[in-house]
Amino acid sequence: MQTPDEWLADFESKVADLQQKATEFKKNIESAGAVERSADGSVTVTVAPSGALLDLHLTDKAMTKSAEALTAEILATTRTARQQAAQEVATAFTPLGGDSDIVQRIPTPDPSAPAPRTPASHPAEDEDFTPTRIYKDEDQRW
């Protein structure tokens, strides 16, 4: 049986350890974003730890590509950056006792894989969103 002083010392040690781990986790999570450059260097993307696109930089060389080729290059580079960010986020959990094997389970995108197909035109862009009265009472307006 522990004395109150031993229990308190053990508790304070555990709290200090958790504070150190939390500080390390916070530092790791804050730096977990990724910057990725396409193979030819024409596209550079920056993503947040969540995978959200933060920045996109296109060189003059990128502007010589067809719209389809440039779109594919941007999407492939973004997928690679997101995968890298996901690995860094998973690794950030390691100090907290996270599963270090999770990084190995994150799928690696194939940069040569074709981008998912999107409609050539977006019908929503052609719709008229002019406010119209939908209420019978004329006092309720947009």
Side-chain angles (χ1 to χ4, degrees):
M1 177 100 181
Q2 286 183 325
T3 67
D5 289 336
E6 291 172 334
W7 181 89
L8 184 58
D10 185 46
F11 179 75
E12 288 174 344
S13 173
K14 288 178 182 178
V15 168
D17 183 50
L18 283 174
Q19 286 176 330
Q20 184 270 330
K21 288 178 180 179
T23 300
E24 187 177 342
F25 170 73
K26 182 181 178 198
K27 184 184 83 178
N28 290 344
I29 248 335
E30 288 172 349
S31 66
V35 176
E36 188 66 33
R37 181 170 289 162
S38 62
D40 66 0
S42 63
V43 175
T44 303
V45 298
T46 303
V47 297
S50 65
L53 184 63
L54 297 176
D55 190 32
L56 170 65
H57 177 75
L58 304 174
T59 65
D60 291 338
K61 183 177 181 180
M63 303 314 294
T64 64
K65 297 180 181 188
S66 70
E68 287 181 9
L70 182 56
T71 299
E73 192 75 28
I74 291 169
L75 291 175
T77 305
T78 302
R79 280 193 304 270
T80 302
R82 286 180 173 159
Q83 191 268 341
Q84 181 182 343
Q87 286 180 335
E88 290 182 16
V89 167
T91 301
F93 281 93
T94 304
L96 299 177
D99 185 1
S100 60
D101 293 334
I102 195 166
V103 175
Q104 296 168 353
R105 292 191 297 253
I106 296 173
T108 304
D110 179 3
S112 64
R117 295 195 39 91
T118 57
S121 68
H122 302 282
E125 293 177 358
D126 296 333
E127 292 180 21
D128 181 13
F129 290 104
T130 305
T132 57
R133 198 172 79 222
I134 60 173
Y135 299 105
K136 291 181 181 177
D137 183 0
E138 289 188 28
D139 291 334
Q140 295 181 357
R141 301 171 192 237
W142 286 92

